[in-house]
Amino acid sequence: MISEKIQEALNEQVNKEFYSAYLYLAMSAYCDTIGLPGFSNWMRQQYEEESLHVTKLYDYILAQGGKIHLQQIDEPPKEYGTPVEIFEQTLAHEQFVTGCINELMGIAIEERDYATQTFLQWYVSEQVEEESNVNDILAPLRMVGKEGGGLMMIDQQLAKRLPPAPLAPAG
Ligand code: OFO
């Protein structure tokens, strides 16, 4: 069982994870159009991962007897600038999501909802990984800037990202 307040907050997070998926799909398309297929692949796999973050929350709400409230998803931008700017926007977005997860955890603590706190712990750890992965790409990207050879090497690395493994179902 979850309270109305937790139910609403979890549904808000479903919407934010949907937006993340949407954002990375738009970034994937943009990277493809500027001739960076490896970047495009990385963003496409990120889209797949965000879709799993959506369904993990969705399954948890249902497993707790809650109601799903699917809300309108905001439109992501069409253009993302240079390769460095693309990943700077990715990092800024993940930092925003980390803040949202922390807010959500704060509500679960206020409500003394221990099951939701345990569930959300997975997202807390996931956000550490998300930010770290992006920082690991941003550092070499900043070093090479727009230099063609270095950029191509990073593109080849990003082309190797594989689809995410399925997540264990909640509840
Ligand atoms: Fe769902 O972790 Fe990124 O946004």
Side-chain angles (χ1 to χ4, degrees):
M1 197 198 91
I2 48 176
S3 69
E4 286 268 331
K5 192 169 175 182
I6 293 282
Q7 177 181 291
E8 199 43 44
L10 290 170
N11 272 297
E12 288 283 337
Q13 191 61 33
V14 167
N15 184 265
K16 289 185 179 118
E17 299 289 346
F18 261 127
Y19 178 76
S20 298
Y22 228 34
L23 175 68
Y24 294 128
L25 193 60
M27 283 183 169
S28 176
Y30 175 76
C31 292
D32 188 77
T33 59
I34 61 169
L36 292 170
F39 280 63
S40 178
N41 171 65
W42 193 93
M43 289 297 172
R44 176 63 178 254
Q45 302 315 335
Q46 189 65 18
Y47 154 77
E48 299 287 351
E49 191 162 318
E50 298 298 348
S51 304
L52 295 175
H53 295 176
V54 169
T55 45
K56 192 175 175 75
L57 279 159
Y58 172 98
D59 289 342
Y60 177 74
I61 295 168
L62 288 179
Q64 284 282 44
K67 289 200 182 84
I68 296 293
H69 174 202
L70 295 179
Q71 302 163 46
Q72 188 166 347
I73 306 163
D74 290 341
E75 180 181 332
K78 294 188 188 78
E79 308 267 324
Y80 297 92
T82 64
V84 170
E85 286 166 347
I86 296 167
F87 271 92
E88 281 173 346
Q89 289 165 86
T90 302
L91 181 61
H93 181 69
E94 288 307 324
Q95 288 170 338
F96 164 75
V97 173
T98 299
C100 297
I101 296 293
N102 289 342
E103 287 281 316
L104 202 45
M105 182 64 102
I107 298 171
I109 291 168
E110 267 171 32
E111 296 274 301
R112 294 174 175 248
D113 181 339
Y114 302 110
T116 300
Q117 289 173 40
T118 303
F119 171 74
L120 287 175
Q121 192 55 53
W122 183 89
Y123 284 84
V124 171
S125 307
E126 179 67 8
Q127 282 311 118
V128 174
E129 202 182 302
E130 293 275 69
E131 287 190 32
S132 166
N133 290 342
V134 178
N135 273 317
D136 287 350
I137 297 167
L138 249 185
L141 250 188
R142 282 186 174 130
M143 262 187 274
V144 302
K146 289 181 186 160
E147 192 269 306
L151 204 52
M152 283 308 106
M153 272 177 62
I154 294 174
D155 193 62
Q156 282 162 12
Q157 281 302 316
L158 299 185
K160 292 182 188 156
R161 183 174 181 183
L162 297 171
L167 301 178

